[in-house]
């Protein structure tokens, strides 16, 4: 993929242009928890639970009927040791008994947008905003279990989902952030630099976000400056993605500086103006921005990127803030040594399993147990409960599978673009297939020979 071919750059707002402090997830958790207590009549004792940012990771699945939070790989296999009921891990034997193994059939998986609907029992949490939701679900489940309260898991899931939704829909989060911008939004010096670089190079830019006009305006004033609108050719708020990409019925509506909706028919999308709702088909008609000359960045793999790459041929870039932490971990001596020994053990087991005598079998048994221990250790280096968002032991996670399908590039933040000129070509790495022999030994143990594990921008296709 060459940036020289990109003429138009599009952006989501939340966790793409705007990054938030850890205080925001605490705010969402506390507000939703209080809504459960005050409006859904949940026990007052739930106030004792606080948000733990180290508990959940993005991309997990939740079994709505069994009230289980778990990590699933690209082939629909549950990673044993990562299934949680409440705040406690479920024994492997119990998981295997419940699921008659640890494979989840396709018909039980979430739908295209990660939702649990039409008979699907699993919901996938793909949004960064879903981290407090997963934690709240687990905390409420934990309270009911510890107090031997008989409850319906489906009702609990729906109530927590509604409470989290109300934090956004009722404007509770927006008002809190607007009232204390410096506490909740990280200053975006590099965001301004990226946008200025693109504008100075003559690139067209647009913003499509689900957030409301006043919230975006105050945030962008803080991140970029009061002249932020001068950088964008089109600004669309409350777009209702992913419906924005599929629903042809809703026309655009202009929003004036006071946030009042105007009734004028929209014949063109003007620079300096703000528009609400609309749909992508009308957007394409009014702008003519089509195909692979458009690159759109977003953090939600389903709502932001899937339809654009599958139906409209846009290039897509995924913003994955977790990359920063994971790459740091992958370059630590602890991780490199753990993975080198794990790979070595696996190689030994593969070659030595042909020896069937008792002494050899005893050694092999010890190696198998040690390999299991090393795999658990490697997982816990990233997150004690669920490990990396990209791997389930040796396989890719279901999260990475969908990321690879719907994103051309992925990166920690837009600031990574500052390290590349706008004629740079990203070449995907050639990784050996199962039947191929690696040409370079460094491919087997990246990082050991001084080669960084990942570039800051990863090319997928």
């Amino acid at each position: 993929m060459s940036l020289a071919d990109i003429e138009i750059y599009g952006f989501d707002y939340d966790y793409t242009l705007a990054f938030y402090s850890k205080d925001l997830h605490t705010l969402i958790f506390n507000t939703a928890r209080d809504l459960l207590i005050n409006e859904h009549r949940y026990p007052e004792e739930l106030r004792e639970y606080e948000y733990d940012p180290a508990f959940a990771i993005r991309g997990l699945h939740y079994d709505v009927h069994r009230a289980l939070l778990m990590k699933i790989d690209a082939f629909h296999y549950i990673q044993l040791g990562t299934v949680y009921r409440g705040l406690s891990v479920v024994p492997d034997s119990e998981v295997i008994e419940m699921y008659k193994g640890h494979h989840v059939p396709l018909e039980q998986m979430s739908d295209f947008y990660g939702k649990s609907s039409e008979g699907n029992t699993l919901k996938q949490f793909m949004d960064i905003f879903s981290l407090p939701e997963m934690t709240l679900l687990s905390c409420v489940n934990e309270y009911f279990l510890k107090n031997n309260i008989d409850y319906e898991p489906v009702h609990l899931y729906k109530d927590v989902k509604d409470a989290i939704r109300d934090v956004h829909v009722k404007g509770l989060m927006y008002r809190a952030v607007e009232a204390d911008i410096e506490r909740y939004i990280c200053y975006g010096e590099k965001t301004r630099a990226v946008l200025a670089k693109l504008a100075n190079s003559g690139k067209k830019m647009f913003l499509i976000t689900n957030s409301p006009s006043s919230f975006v305006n105050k945030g962008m004033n803080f991140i970029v400056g009061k002249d932020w609108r001068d950088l964008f050719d089109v600004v669309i708020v409350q777009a209702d993605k992913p419906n924005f990409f599929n629903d042809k019925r809703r026309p655009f509506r202009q929003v004036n500086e006071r946030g009042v909706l105007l009734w004028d028919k929209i014949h063109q999308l003007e620079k300096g103006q703000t528009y609400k709702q609309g749909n992508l088909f009308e957007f394409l008609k009014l702008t003519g921005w089509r195909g692979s000359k458009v690159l759109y960045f977003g953090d939600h793999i389903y709502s932001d990127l899937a339809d654009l790459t599958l139906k409209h041929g846009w290039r897509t870039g995924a913003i994955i803030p977790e990359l920063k932490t994971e790459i740091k971990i992958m370059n630590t001596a602890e991780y490199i040594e753990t993975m080198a020994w794990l790979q070595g053990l696996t190689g030994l087991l593969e070659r030595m399993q042909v020896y069937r005598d008792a002494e050899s079998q005893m050694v092999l048994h010890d190696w198998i147990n040690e390999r299991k221990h090393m795999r658990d250790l490697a997982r816990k280096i990233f997150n004690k409960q669920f490990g990396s968002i990209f791997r389930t032991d040796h396989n890719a996670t279901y999260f990475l599978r969908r990321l690879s399908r719907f994103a051309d590039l992925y990166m920690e933040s837009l600031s990574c673009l500052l390290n590349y000129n706008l004629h740079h070509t990203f070449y995907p790495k050639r990784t050996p297939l199962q039947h191929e022999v690696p040409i370079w030994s460094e491919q087997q143990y990246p990082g050991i020979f001084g080669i960084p594990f990942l570039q800051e921008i990863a090319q997928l296709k």
Side-chain angles (χ1 to χ4, degrees):
M1 175 181 166
S2 176
L3 294 181
D5 298 329
I6 305 301
E7 300 174 10
I8 305 107
Y9 286 79
F11 306 93
D12 181 31
Y13 175 70
D14 297 301
Y15 285 108
T16 300
L17 294 174
F19 282 80
Y20 298 95
S21 69
K22 293 180 180 179
D23 289 340
L24 182 63
H25 285 177
T26 301
L27 169 71
I28 295 171
F29 178 92
N30 290 343
T31 306
R33 179 201 60 200
D34 293 346
L35 285 173
L36 284 178
I37 296 169
N38 298 332
E39 298 189 9
H40 296 270
R41 299 186 177 182
Y42 275 65
E44 185 71 27
E45 289 77 11
L46 287 175
R47 295 193 200 275
E48 299 174 5
Y49 290 93
E50 298 180 350
Y51 178 63
D52 179 5
F55 177 68
I57 62 172
R58 195 151 49 124
L60 298 178
H61 282 78
Y62 183 75
D63 190 321
V64 175
H65 294 283
R66 295 187 175 98
L68 299 176
L69 189 64
M70 69 190 73
K71 186 175 172 186
I72 296 179
D73 75 7
F75 307 102
H76 298 189
Y77 282 92
I78 300 167
Q79 183 177 18
L80 297 177
T82 69
V83 180
Y84 276 73
R85 180 185 289 115
L87 301 175
S88 302
V89 66
V90 179
D92 295 349
S93 58
E94 188 176 340
V95 174
I96 292 171
E97 175 64 26
M98 280 190 291
Y99 291 95
K100 309 304 177 186
H102 56 107
H103 180 266
V104 180
L106 177 62
E107 60 268 17
Q108 293 183 25
M109 298 293 286
S110 53
D111 68 11
F112 182 80
Y113 292 109
K115 298 177 181 178
S116 177
S117 59
E118 298 181 7
N120 299 320
T121 60
L122 294 181
K123 186 262 193 293
Q124 188 180 20
F125 291 100
M126 297 294 276
D127 192 354
I128 300 176
F129 282 128
S130 66
L131 293 173
E133 181 177 357
M134 286 185 276
T135 307
L136 183 58
L137 270 170
S138 298
C139 288
V140 180
N141 276 310
E142 179 75 7
Y143 174 82
F144 286 156
L145 292 167
K146 284 179 64 177
N147 291 277
N148 297 315
I149 298 173
D150 188 25
Y151 69 103
E152 173 54 63
V154 175
H155 297 332
L156 169 59
Y157 167 73
K158 183 180 183 303
D159 290 343
V160 171
K161 177 183 175 183
D162 289 346
I164 292 287
R165 180 202 63 200
D166 287 346
V167 173
H168 297 269
V169 173
K170 292 183 177 180
L172 303 176
M173 183 193 80
Y174 299 131
R175 288 194 292 272
V177 173
E178 288 182 39
D180 199 350
I181 288 281
E182 293 186 2
R183 177 182 179 184
Y184 292 109
I185 298 184
C186 302
Y187 181 64
E189 180 179 350
K190 291 185 176 180
T191 300
R192 167 82 192 198
V194 172
L195 297 176
K197 178 180 180 178
L198 296 175
N200 293 336
S201 300
K203 304 297 183 182
K204 299 288 186 181
M205 288 188 287
F206 64 91
L207 172 65
I208 302 177
T209 175
N210 287 349
S211 294
S213 178
S214 63
F215 179 74
V216 173
N217 185 50
K218 289 187 177 180
M220 290 296 282
N221 284 344
F222 177 72
I223 298 165
V224 179
K226 293 184 178 180
D227 62 340
W228 70 271
R229 293 175 186 274
D230 296 338
L231 298 171
F232 289 88
D233 296 273
V234 178
V235 174
I236 300 167
V237 299
Q238 291 180 276
D240 191 27
K241 295 177 294 182
N243 293 330
F244 179 87
F245 301 126
N246 299 292
D247 189 345
K248 299 181 180 180
R249 296 170 297 178
R250 298 181 311 162
F252 285 108
R253 195 165 186 180
Q254 189 173 337
V255 184
N256 69 14
E257 293 181 356
R258 298 188 302 276
V260 177
L261 292 173
L262 306 182
W263 47 262
D264 307 62
K265 184 176 178 63
I266 304 301
H267 296 283
Q268 61 180 349
L269 300 175
E270 299 178 1
K271 187 170 185 175
Q273 301 300 324
T274 301
Y275 301 92
K276 178 182 176 180
Q277 296 180 346
N279 63 81
L280 184 64
F281 302 92
E282 189 70 13
F283 178 85
L284 297 176
K285 178 182 176 182
L286 294 174
T287 63
W289 296 343
R290 300 177 181 274
S292 59
K293 65 182 180 180
V294 183
L295 173 57
Y296 184 80
F297 291 96
D299 70 290
H300 198 300
I301 299 170
Y302 294 150
S303 296
D304 286 326
L305 309 180
D307 289 309
L308 293 177
T309 188
L310 292 178
K311 299 178 182 179
H312 301 285
W314 286 11
R315 308 310 294 264
T316 52
I319 303 301
I320 312 293
E322 295 92 338
L323 265 177
K324 181 177 183 179
T325 300
E326 296 225 355
I327 290 176
K328 282 184 177 179
I329 290 172
M330 293 171 70
N331 283 282
T332 61
E334 180 186 12
Y335 180 81
I336 292 171
E337 291 168 5
T338 300
M339 292 308 300
W341 184 229
L342 182 58
Q343 292 286 79
L345 273 174
T346 303
L348 284 170
L349 284 166
E350 190 172 23
R351 291 192 297 273
M352 304 301 288
Q353 61 184 318
V354 296
Y355 296 99
R356 308 304 301 172
D357 59 278
E359 187 175 359
S360 296
Q361 286 295 305
M362 186 179 298
V363 173
L364 286 168
H365 183 265
D366 290 341
W367 286 350
I368 289 171
N369 288 335
E370 184 173 0
R371 180 173 179 265
K372 184 179 185 302
H373 171 72
M374 296 303 292
R375 293 173 84 175
D376 290 342
L377 182 61
R379 184 184 79 238
K380 291 176 181 178
I381 290 175
F382 293 97
N383 174 279
K384 290 183 179 180
Q385 291 75 230
F386 302 101
S388 166
I389 70 170
F390 301 105
R391 279 196 180 275
T392 58
D393 291 331
H394 57 279
N395 284 338
T397 58
Y398 194 82
F399 174 87
L400 181 58
R401 176 185 177 183
R402 308 308 275 173
L403 173 64
S404 302
R405 180 68 182 91
F406 301 136
D408 294 292
L409 301 169
Y410 65 98
M411 64 196 75
E412 170 212 336
S413 71
L414 291 172
S415 63
C416 295
L417 290 173
L418 295 173
N419 297 316
Y420 302 88
N421 66 58
L422 296 182
H423 294 279
H424 187 88
T425 298
F426 295 100
Y427 295 95
K429 293 181 180 179
R430 182 182 178 89
T431 54
L433 303 176
Q434 294 297 316
H435 63 280
E436 294 178 330
V437 176
I439 298 174
W440 299 283
S441 60
E442 289 88 348
Q443 287 179 305
Q444 291 179 301
Y445 304 101
I448 294 177
F449 299 92
I451 299 173
F453 278 96
L454 289 172
Q455 294 181 6
E456 55 193 359
I457 296 183
Q459 166 71 17
L460 286 167
K461 53 181 182 277

